[in-house]
Amino acid sequence: MEQTKILISGANGKMGRVVAATVAGREDCNVCAGVDLNTAQYADFPIYSNFSEVTEKPDVIIDFSNPAVLDALLDYCMVNGVACVFATTGYNEEQIAKIKKAANVIPVFFSFNMSLGINLLVQLAKKAVSILGGQFDIEIVEKHHNQKIDAPSGTAIMLADAINAELNNEYHYVYDRHSKRQKREPKEIGMHAIRGGTIVGEHDVIFAGHDEVITLSHSAASKEVFAVGAVNAAVFLAKQEAGMYDMGQMLSQ
């Protein structure tokens, strides 16, 4: 079996190490190198401090690093023709535009959440909206550990965007209500962030109607679910032509 050669960007981070452990248990891929400011070795692949030092020829990069790395990462991928799975959160709109532009040159896999369950939640939320229409108020509550920097989570935004698309993008997002002394507007999608402890990731989509409430929920018990999704995406992406790919396209194969 030909193995997909993976480079881990952010190799010494928590997710980078989980990705390495996940790949170690598979036969269809291997980690050929890593990039991280912390170059401490913990496995049988080299870790470099920047992309210019890499001598290996990866088929695909899995990026669980930091948005600040994006420009160097994109430069390396486009110069060397390497596919990339972007699993980092916290990108701004300008950075997302750069990722989409890079997809004209290389295969790009971009998702705010690599969990299969979360992507099912997205589809269930869209189905709920198609049935409930504008009759129910919609609120999204996300919970994460106390070390997470960005809020609301990229996954919460992904859920809201999917729901809003089903509603012809007529809704606007409200991130906090403490400064608003007024009734809730009908075409709002509320988003609320909770940070504490070691919560890996929990997302609730609440549809509140007249005398009834429907809640769709997903809870991740470990970071492994994200690593498994990212590795699956990497093996899938290595076989694709240049373009933008996401979990929906991978699952439909």
Side-chain angles (χ1 to χ4, degrees), residues 117-118 121 124 141 202-206 214-219:
I118 277 290
L121 180 64
L124 293 174
V141 180
E202 298 180 11
H203 292 84
D204 296 332
V205 184
I206 302 166
I214 301 164
T215 303
L216 302 175
S217 299
H218 177 270
S219 178

Side-chain angles (χ1 to χ4, degrees), residues 174-191:
V174 175
Y175 300 102
D176 195 352
R177 300 189 187 280
H178 79 279
S179 62
K180 297 184 69 171
R181 302 291 294 177
Q182 64 186 59
K183 293 181 180 179
R184 186 189 197 283
E185 296 176 8
K187 292 191 174 182
E188 289 183 0
I189 296 177
M191 283 195 273

Side-chain angles (χ1 to χ4, degrees), residues 112-139:
F112 285 112
N113 193 297
M114 290 293 167
S115 158
L116 175 60
I118 277 290
N119 284 275
L120 173 60
L121 180 64
V122 170
Q123 298 305 316
L124 293 174
K126 290 169 66 175
K127 180 64 175 178
V129 170
S130 71
I131 295 171
L132 302 174
Q135 302 176 64
F136 283 61
D137 294 328
I138 304 167
E139 298 281 311

Side-chain angles (χ1 to χ4, degrees), residues 84-95:
C84 191
V85 176
F86 291 93
T88 299
T89 61
Y91 291 120
N92 59 37
E93 291 184 5
E94 181 182 352
Q95 290 175 314

